[in-house]
Amino acid sequence: TSLTPTMNASDIPCRVLLSVNQVQQVLGDRGEDALRRLRMDSGANVQLLRGPLLPAAFRARDECLAVALADNGRCLRKALLALLQRAFGQRRAAEAQEENVEEHVLEVMIPEVACRHLVGARGDRIKLLREESKCDIHLSHGNVAGIAAQRRVKCNGTVANLSEAVARIHEVLMEFAQIGILSLRHFDLQEVGPEIPSDGSAGEGARPEGGPGIARISTASSAVRNCRLAVRLLVTADECGWLIGKRGNKIHKLRELAMVGTRE
């Protein structure tokens, strides 16, 4: 799938949520060498974000983030399968070429703006994903705690089927990026910070934790973050038809990209 000139397939992260114990199983006795070997074997760039590289909300619940970047679906599938076999303790069975039918639960993190499109009209798209991957797939309620505009997609199935489900979900996100529903900013991890007291007692020199480039820290109070503004734009009758587009496709895309409500 060819994306827009400003975005490549390897720009769109495939994010899988893992526990601290699962990350330890992935690394094993060889540590970072095992991760480097996984990258070399799969051709995908796989990172395990943990500790100070993650927003505080993840660290508080002992949750880590596996991020895979790949140029194509073949590399991504190979990386995901190897990653999940290690995370769920099935590496030895895989090396012995033994089929394992034990089912596991895995969560994928995707931008909130993509959720409605992932489900599709009357649930058609998510039903197709379930059939193709042979996994039970559904959206968890609410955003990922402590992170703005990100949702969990819960998958239930065997390791082989889980890797296929995650890869297919990622392919759908790539399609959304191609048609303009998603952009790179939708994949930013924006931490929802604690509310700052109105008397300014938090201190002027206070700095939030988090690695540069990994999390953008929100320091506004909840009242400011949740406020709504009504803006009216005056356009000519000719411009109005162009702005709405055929069957409302342009105004619909505007709502999705800007995450606002509009009234014609």
Side-chain angles (χ1 to χ4, degrees):
T1 305
S2 60
L3 300 182
T4 57
T6 56
M7 293 181 66
N8 300 313
S10 58
D11 292 330
I12 301 177
C14 177
R15 292 169 170 164
V16 176
L17 295 160
L18 299 176
S19 67
V20 172
N21 182 56
Q22 287 174 326
V23 168
Q24 291 173 349
Q25 291 194 112
V26 171
L27 297 175
D29 297 332
R30 299 178 60 187
E32 293 296 330
D33 287 339
L35 196 57
R36 281 191 286 269
R37 179 62 182 270
L38 193 155
R39 297 189 193 111
M40 292 177 59
D41 291 344
S42 65
N45 182 8
V46 181
Q47 302 286 342
L48 295 177
L49 303 185
R50 55 202 188 277
L53 293 177
L54 282 175
F58 282 82
R59 302 197 298 271
R61 54 180 178 259
D62 291 332
E63 198 169 41
C64 302
L65 199 59
V67 182
L69 301 168
D71 292 326
N72 55 66
R74 181 183 61 81
C75 292
L76 180 63
R77 283 173 169 81
K78 194 171 182 179
L80 287 171
L81 182 58
L83 177 73
L84 298 183
Q85 283 174 342
R86 288 176 170 273
F88 291 111
Q90 295 185 5
R91 183 166 59 91
R92 292 181 180 178
E95 291 173 350
Q97 296 184 343
E98 298 176 0
E99 184 178 1
N100 195 308
V101 296
E102 183 181 357
E103 294 193 348
H104 304 274
V105 176
L106 182 71
E107 290 183 323
V108 185
M109 191 169 73
I110 68 171
E112 182 185 24
V113 70
C115 291
R116 183 161 60 90
H117 301 282
L118 182 72
V119 174
R122 300 181 299 277
D124 292 343
R125 182 175 279 116
I126 199 167
K127 288 177 184 176
L128 182 61
L129 287 172
R130 290 168 182 154
E131 293 172 2
E132 291 176 339
S133 65
K134 300 178 182 178
C135 280
D136 180 24
I137 303 173
H138 64 272
L139 289 169
S140 298
H141 296 292
N143 289 349
V144 177
I147 303 296
Q150 300 292 321
R151 291 278 297 274
R152 297 173 186 260
V153 180
K154 187 171 289 187
C155 307
N156 190 352
T158 64
V159 167
N161 291 342
L162 285 174
S163 62
E164 181 65 21
V166 176
R168 288 188 179 273
I169 290 171
H170 187 257
E171 287 174 351
V172 172
L173 297 183
M174 289 172 58
E175 292 176 9
F176 294 165
Q178 182 184 19
I179 62 178
I181 293 174
L182 289 178
S183 64
L184 291 179
R185 69 180 179 86
H186 290 116
F187 293 91
D188 288 341
L189 294 187
Q190 182 177 357
E191 185 170 357
V192 180
E195 183 173 339
I196 298 178
S198 58
D199 60 0
S201 58
E204 295 181 0
R207 289 178 175 263
E209 297 181 3
I214 298 298
R216 297 182 180 179
I217 310 301
S218 173
T219 56
S221 68
S222 60
V224 174
R225 287 196 305 269
N226 297 326
C227 71
R228 292 177 177 270
L229 293 176
V231 179
R232 292 185 178 182
L233 300 177
L234 297 178
V235 297
T236 64
D238 293 338
E239 292 172 332
C240 187
W242 178 86
L243 183 63
I244 294 174
K246 188 177 181 181
R247 297 181 180 178
N249 63 336
K250 287 186 179 179
I251 197 73
H252 175 70
K253 184 182 292 186
L254 177 62
R255 294 189 185 111
E256 294 293 344
L257 292 175
M259 293 181 283
V260 297
T262 61
R263 292 168 56 187
E264 297 86 32

